[in-house]
Amino acid sequence: MGNMLEGKAVVGETDMLQAMQDQALRLAAEALDAFDVTDATEIARFIKKEFDGTYGPGWQCIVGTDFGSFVTHCSGCFIYFSVGSLAILLFKGAAVGLETDGAHFSAFETLKA
């Protein structure tokens, strides 16, 4: 089932290296195997904790079918993708002003089918 869901993942926007993107999509598929698709908070927690463990703390994950967002993120640490009707935003936050280089703004609204 995981591979089927992974195949349905559509990346909207990202600045991550391919290996990190692949891990994000794989973790989303694992989360959707482990949790009900309606349990967005558990899916987000699972993906965030895994990325915190692998790439260091400070990751944020938002999962849902209808949301808008405007975030500041570290360069190379942003992905917005969808799996079926579920949109997933995963990024590592950046403080503007404290980092002279590597802070980027991204704004996304979930696409309506």
Side-chain angles (χ1 to χ4, degrees):
M1 186 175 166
N3 288 338
M4 182 185 78
L5 286 166
E6 198 168 355
K8 288 183 184 174
V10 178
V11 176
E13 186 71 36
T14 186
D15 65 358
M16 287 179 172
L17 294 172
Q18 191 63 52
M20 199 185 283
Q21 287 182 49
D22 292 344
Q23 184 175 2
L25 299 186
R26 184 176 50 75
L27 288 171
E30 285 180 25
L32 285 162
D33 281 346
F35 306 106
D36 192 271
V37 71
T38 59
D39 202 352
T41 304
E42 284 303 308
I43 293 167
R45 184 186 63 80
F46 177 82
I47 296 170
K48 179 230 181 332
K49 283 191 146 187
E50 290 291 323
F51 261 68
D52 278 348
T54 304
Y55 300 106
W59 287 89
Q60 314 295 328
C61 188
I62 300 160
V63 175
T65 55
D66 187 13
F67 63 85
S69 65
F70 191 94
V71 302
T72 311
H73 59 90
C74 297
S75 180
C77 298
F78 175 91
I79 189 168
Y80 174 82
F81 64 101
S82 60
V83 182
S85 62
L86 213 57
I88 299 171
L89 175 62
L90 175 66
F91 65 97
K92 192 168 191 172
V96 179
L98 297 178
E99 296 192 12
T100 55
D101 192 33
H104 298 262
F105 293 102
S106 292
F108 281 93
E109 194 156 340
T110 51
L111 299 174
K112 310 285 190 297

